Amino acid sequence: MRSGNGYADILAEPDTGDMGIIIEVKYAHDGNLDAACRRALKQIAYTRYEDELKDEGVENILKYGIACYKKRCRVMLAEL
């Protein structure tokens, strides 16, 4: 689904249509998982991926930034 100014890595909308989930994934080349998660969340905000969901009437949108480095992973949820 195209939304805002580009494509989210993962955009999920349950059949009920009352919630949406946006996930952006980054690889932390330097091993700094926190910084990579923050970059992912900034990208979600900057590109306005949630616009299409909001246009469809979805009010509850969860935004996750996920960072990976080798076999480690970190997940951050944007403040609601």
Side-chain angles (χ1 to χ4, degrees), residues 33-44:
L33 296 170
D34 287 335
C37 282
R38 286 191 295 272
R39 278 196 314 275
L41 293 173
K42 282 183 183 180
Q43 181 176 334
I44 291 171

Side-chain angles (χ1 to χ4, degrees), residues 16-30:
T16 59
D18 61 346
M19 176 177 276
I21 302 168
I22 300 169
I23 300 172
E24 188 65 32
V25 181
K26 297 288 183 200
Y27 185 76
H29 295 282
D30 60 0

